[in-house]
Amino acid sequence: MAAAAGAWLRGCAKLRRHIPAHLAPWRVSPCAFRSSKSELKPNVASDGLACAPLQTFTEEEAMLKDMVTKFAQERVAPFVQKMDENAKMEESIVQGLFEQGLMSIELGEEYGGTGASFFSIILAVEELAKVDPAVALVCELQNTLTNKLFTTYGTEEQKRTYLPRVSKDTLGSFCLSEAGSGSDAFSLKTRAEKKGDYYIINGSKMWISLAEDAGVFFVMANTDPSLGYRGITCFVVDRNTEGLQVGKKEDKLGIRACSTCPVTLDNVKVPESSILGQVGQGYKYAIGMLNTGRIGIAAQMLGLAQGCFDRTVPYTKERVQFGKSVFDFQGMQHQIAQVATQLEAARLLTYNAARLAEAGRPAIKEASMAKYFTAEVATLTTSKCIEWMGGVGFTKNFPIEKYYRDCKIGTIYEGTSNIQLSTIAKFLAQEY
């Protein structure tokens, strides 16, 4: 018996020697528990900083949040149904966004901005999206793309020329996508040919947000196709430039009040000074802006889902069936609790990505996670809310079906959900 036991133990020992180290029982892999790794926190005594819950706001952020909530309820809500039906943004709302400083939240006061935090942009977008995601998109794109492109890459002359305009009354529009380059954005065909001190731009763009009303366009064009994506350059083109034509806006499923149009560039002549940043660096600028913009879209999807949820739950408490409110059925309570938990998780992902970006720390993976997850949560929330509302949720008499239509774009623009997953996976591969 003892001999047999000894042989069995020797066999186990041999087997263990052939097991890969990272699969060895109870052995901690050097790559394991990366999520548990911590970084040194700022010295509280010297920096005056302390770790606080993600939903802790500065006084300025709290004031802005309250102001936007009031603006959305008083100035936006009365027009939401009409704007959706007519697929047209109410001019007074855009004017109000400018007047309230919501189109230049992070811009310095020297350019007409409010000089607030990046996180304030996220709060503003979230609050606007609770009432109308289309209005939230106008605010989000102006702050995270238009303003940020000028402040990050613009020359002093470009900043002096354009920043006072985009903080006061001028919308910007980012022209990247084309018929043959969606997710594969850098395969774009728009060409910019150098002619002395000028460039001649030819090409066409598709799915360009805010194009119908924009006063300035950021056009991505290739100055040297032989270099591939390394030839892509960003040009600042004014709307009244000869040869730039905005086509008929798309008749969309959702976000209908915010225009999406094709843009054609036919021998558009622009001076060399219209180049934003450096020649051949446009692809880097696009990547950088979209990474930040994804946090803004996450805030839009979060606000959309929360707004839909907030309008639906009270109805379930008022609607009586079988002698008690719909909310009082345990099956309903469990569904509502599940969605509420998903919403809270989406909010924390979004706020964390925003705080990281604001602090200047890497946040590409976190931004992709936030955008991917909030789009999924918005899809779940709006679908469940229609079910909880029953027949009335399926009608246009209530805004629930609009939230359902509006949320779909969250899985598509500024990087599809699959692109987000690929980005996340790339970072995970590097980490492990």
Side-chain angles (χ1 to χ4, degrees), residues 294-333:
R294 284 165 183 166
I295 306 174
I297 297 302
Q300 181 201 28
M301 290 295 110
L302 170 62
L304 181 160
Q306 189 68 61
C308 187
F309 187 80
D310 291 346
R311 286 175 177 267
T312 303
V313 174
Y315 178 86
T316 68
K317 299 185 76 173
E318 295 170 3
R319 171 72 168 166
V320 175
Q321 290 288 280
F322 303 102
K324 61 180 179 179
S325 72
V326 173
F327 181 88
D328 286 336
F329 288 92
Q330 188 182 63
M332 180 66 78
Q333 290 177 348

Side-chain angles (χ1 to χ4, degrees), residues 193-200 269-272:
E193 187 177 359
K194 197 172 191 311
K195 298 285 188 179
D197 295 335
Y198 289 83
Y199 281 86
I200 305 297
K269 183 180 180 181
V270 293
E272 197 169 3

Side-chain angles (χ1 to χ4, degrees), residues 155-169:
T155 63
E156 287 305 314
E157 181 182 354
Q158 288 171 335
K159 291 177 183 178
R160 287 194 301 270
T161 300
Y162 290 102
L163 287 179
R165 289 172 53 188
V166 297
S167 68
K168 183 181 180 182
D169 57 16

Side-chain angles (χ1 to χ4, degrees), residues 225-351:
S226 67
L227 296 177
Y229 68 88
R230 295 184 184 277
I232 296 175
T233 303
C234 183
F235 294 86
V236 180
V237 183
D238 283 308
R239 185 185 185 90
N240 59 5
T241 304
E242 186 177 355
L244 186 149
Q245 185 173 9
V246 177
K248 181 182 178 181
K249 65 183 175 184
E250 304 291 345
D251 188 9
K252 299 177 297 183
L253 172 73
I255 315 289
R256 291 173 53 78
C258 186
S259 68
T260 303
C261 311
V263 175
T264 303
L265 301 113
D266 183 14
N267 289 322
V268 172
K269 183 180 180 181
V270 293
E272 197 169 3
S273 60
S274 69
I275 293 175
L276 188 74
Q278 299 178 350
V279 173
Q281 297 296 299
Y283 73 98
K284 289 185 179 179
Y285 306 158
I287 291 172
M289 292 301 104
L290 290 176
N291 285 334
T292 304
R294 284 165 183 166
I295 306 174
I297 297 302
Q300 181 201 28
M301 290 295 110
L302 170 62
L304 181 160
Q306 189 68 61
C308 187
F309 187 80
D310 291 346
R311 286 175 177 267
T312 303
V313 174
Y315 178 86
T316 68
K317 299 185 76 173
E318 295 170 3
R319 171 72 168 166
V320 175
Q321 290 288 280
F322 303 102
K324 61 180 179 179
S325 72
V326 173
F327 181 88
D328 286 336
F329 288 92
Q330 188 182 63
M332 180 66 78
Q333 290 177 348
H334 288 182
Q335 291 183 55
I336 292 173
Q338 180 189 26
V339 170
T341 302
Q342 298 271 45
L343 282 168
E344 186 69 5
R347 179 169 290 104
L348 295 177
L349 275 172
T350 303
Y351 286 8

